[in-house]
Amino acid sequence: MNPTVARLILQDRRIAYFITDRELNVVEVSGAVSILHDGQKPSLGHSLFDLVPELIGSEETIAEILAGEQDRFQLPWVNRTTPSGEIRYLTMADLPCRDRAGKITGLIHLVQDVTEMGQLEQKLTQRRNELRLLRDQLTQQNRQLAAANAELLRLDEMKSQFVSVAAHELRTPLASISGFVEMLLDEDFGPLNEEQREYLEIVQRSAGRLLFITNNLLDATRIEMGRIELVLTPVDLPALAETVAAEFEPQLDAKLQRLTLRALPGLPQALCDEARAQQIIGNLLSNANKYTPHGGSITISVEPAEEEGFLQVAVADNGVGIPGEDQKRLFDLFFRAKSAHATDASGAGLGLFITRSLVELHGGRIWVESEVDQGTTFYVTFPATGEPAGEPHSSSANTQCRS
């Protein structure tokens, strides 16, 4: 190859070479020698160690190359600072230089400017280090979160166990109080005057309310701990709604509220846990009773749901309504809407949480439609069996009113 062409190629690729004798004194240079000494051509006869101090400490390896015991020695990513303060990256390699007879006469020291690749490698290494640091930080945070979650779960379980034990302990004396009050009201221990009866009725109502809250606390705890089990059987929903309505007759009569039951004839039976379905409808009717004013109206309707294979129960009232911003949290544990606080109705924020959980355990849905001062309608769905409920009840096939 023409020496001029070879030199141009070496300069273009930013490669230089230095040939030494066996004493490692430079005897020939060519190529882009400026990459090593910033444009100043090194003087021939200088020691290779003076030109390339990075080789100091590798004398034994260099001697092995001169002795023919090694074929190559490489120094990758050697960085040097130029007079202008820039960092230059070089790759260096030392090879044995042989004459025509194959005898080693010195070294060939190759140098290539790989600054661009070096800068990219440095940035890549920096990014790797940053990612490694972030990974370590994330791992540490995950460990802390896992520990915090474990502690929260432990505390939550302790809370649930405490509530469960406390509720169980409360139920026994409350049941005894209710039983003895009922006996006193029945005058089993002698006649009562009007004032005594009034006080005993207050005690009876308070004990009943405490027992109701205690049972709700137990249900909420069982739901949180996943200990609610359903016994699914075919149930006549209109007849069940009629039973619930009959149980609420005293509360409805006390507020002169009108209750209407509506159901289409020939509806299939629902596949549900009868006691829990009664609790669901009872909770919704209790809400309607509490938040509907004296003389208001409440409607329970049973019909096929839009979703195939389900029945829908709707409990509608013309009560105080629920603000839109509260409707998203309405089924959260212990949440009570602003409109509830604006009335005298009591409550602990347990009923709708329990109702939603029980509906979802059945595979159904629950939702609400409401406007302030216009009333509220709760909808729940239950899976249907596909089997007809039999002869329609008069209370479910026709409109029944209680006032």
Side-chain angles (χ1 to χ4, degrees):
M1 180 183 292
N2 188 304
T4 304
V5 174
R7 187 170 57 254
L8 289 173
I9 291 173
L10 291 173
Q11 289 176 347
D12 181 70
R13 304 308 300 171
R14 303 287 290 164
I15 299 173
Y17 70 83
F18 301 78
I19 298 178
T20 74
D21 56 20
R22 291 188 65 86
E23 284 71 36
L24 301 180
N25 294 316
V26 177
V27 297
E28 182 181 340
V29 298
S30 185
V33 295
S34 62
I35 63 175
L36 200 60
H37 287 284
D38 300 312
Q40 298 178 4
K41 185 174 180 180
S43 300
L44 296 176
H46 282 204
S47 169
L48 183 62
F49 288 108
D50 293 336
L51 300 175
V52 189
E54 291 84 0
L55 292 175
I56 296 174
S58 304
E59 290 86 351
E60 186 176 345
T61 304
I62 297 298
E64 290 175 353
I65 294 175
L66 291 172
E69 297 173 0
Q70 282 203 40
D71 295 330
R72 183 186 184 90
F73 175 61
Q74 185 161 333
L75 293 173
W77 308 118
V78 174
N79 61 78
R80 287 188 172 186
T81 303
T82 66
S84 61
E86 297 178 356
I87 295 178
R88 179 177 293 163
Y89 291 89
L90 305 173
T91 295
M92 300 180 180
D94 291 283
L95 309 170
C97 180
R98 301 177 186 270
D99 60 15
R100 292 180 183 277
K103 181 181 178 182
I104 297 175
T105 60
L107 290 180
I108 300 176
H109 183 75
L110 295 174
V111 183
Q112 183 175 10
D113 186 345
V114 289
T115 298
E116 185 175 350
M117 291 178 60
Q119 290 173 342
L120 290 174
E121 179 69 18
Q122 184 185 36
K123 290 179 180 178
L124 185 59
T125 301
Q126 184 177 351
R127 295 295 182 271
R128 285 199 193 102
N129 291 337
E130 290 172 352
L131 287 173
R132 189 176 295 109
L133 179 62
L134 287 173
R135 183 192 63 193
D136 293 342
Q137 291 174 346
L138 184 60
T139 301
Q140 181 64 21
Q141 289 177 353
N142 285 339
R143 289 197 191 101
Q144 293 173 352
L145 284 173
N149 284 336
E151 180 65 12
L152 285 173
L153 287 173
R154 187 184 70 83
L155 293 174
D156 189 60
E157 186 174 351
M158 287 179 60
K159 179 265 297 179
S160 297
Q161 290 175 350
F162 171 77
V163 171
S164 179
V165 170
H168 275 293
E169 291 298 320
L170 282 171
R171 280 210 304 183
T172 301
L174 283 173
S176 298
I177 292 171
S178 297
F180 280 111
V181 168
E182 187 174 349
M183 292 172 65
L184 288 170
L185 287 171
D186 290 340
E187 298 187 343
D188 291 349
F189 302 104
L192 301 171
N193 60 40
E194 193 172 321
E195 187 178 14
Q196 290 172 331
R197 181 171 295 277
E198 180 184 354
Y199 291 157
L200 285 172
E201 286 174 350
I202 293 173
V203 173
Q204 186 181 47
R205 286 195 299 271
S206 298
R209 181 168 175 271
L210 276 175
L211 190 60
F212 178 77
I213 294 174
T214 301
N215 288 333
N216 274 348
L217 280 171
L218 279 172
D219 277 342
T221 302
R222 292 190 189 108
I223 289 168
E224 286 186 322
M225 300 177 74
R227 295 180 182 174
I228 291 282
E229 293 185 3
L230 303 180
V231 180
L232 301 180
T233 58
V235 174
D236 185 344
L237 272 186
L240 187 67
E242 182 180 359
T243 299
V244 174
E247 291 179 356
F248 273 84
E249 188 170 356
Q251 294 95 310
L252 297 169
D253 289 345
K255 296 183 72 173
L256 302 177
Q257 291 170 340
R258 178 184 178 87
L259 174 63
T260 303
L261 302 179
R262 293 197 181 103
L264 295 175
L267 287 174
Q269 292 181 309
L271 184 63
C272 59
D273 184 304
E274 184 170 0
R276 294 301 184 181
Q278 185 170 344
Q279 183 179 358
I280 289 168
I281 299 173
N283 283 348
L284 297 179
L285 183 54
S286 174
N287 263 20
N289 167 247
K290 286 193 291 187
Y291 302 117
T292 299
H294 281 70
S297 60
I298 301 170
T299 302
I300 301 177
S301 58
V302 185
E303 59 188 1
E306 292 184 2
E307 187 177 358
E308 187 176 354
F310 284 81
L311 291 175
Q312 175 180 292
V313 177
V315 179
D317 63 60
N318 61 349
V320 296
I322 304 166
E325 64 269 19
D326 287 346
Q327 293 181 25
K328 293 180 180 179
R329 299 187 55 200
L330 200 57
F331 301 102
D332 291 350
L333 186 61
F334 300 123
F335 178 78
R336 299 193 72 202
K338 295 175 184 176
S339 53
H341 297 293
T343 67
D344 294 331
S346 60
L350 294 169
L352 289 177
F353 168 77
I354 293 170
T355 302
R356 183 203 65 183
S357 301
L358 293 177
V359 169
E360 291 176 350
L361 281 173
H362 280 86
R365 295 189 304 119
I366 182 170
W367 68 98
V368 63
E369 295 177 359
S370 182
E371 291 185 25
V372 176
D373 297 328
Q374 297 298 315
T376 300
T377 303
F378 282 95
Y379 300 89
V380 296
T381 61
F382 294 94
T385 63
E387 301 174 2
E391 292 298 322
H393 298 261
S394 60
S395 59
S396 57
N398 304 303
T399 299
Q400 177 179 345
C401 300
R402 300 188 185 275
S403 57

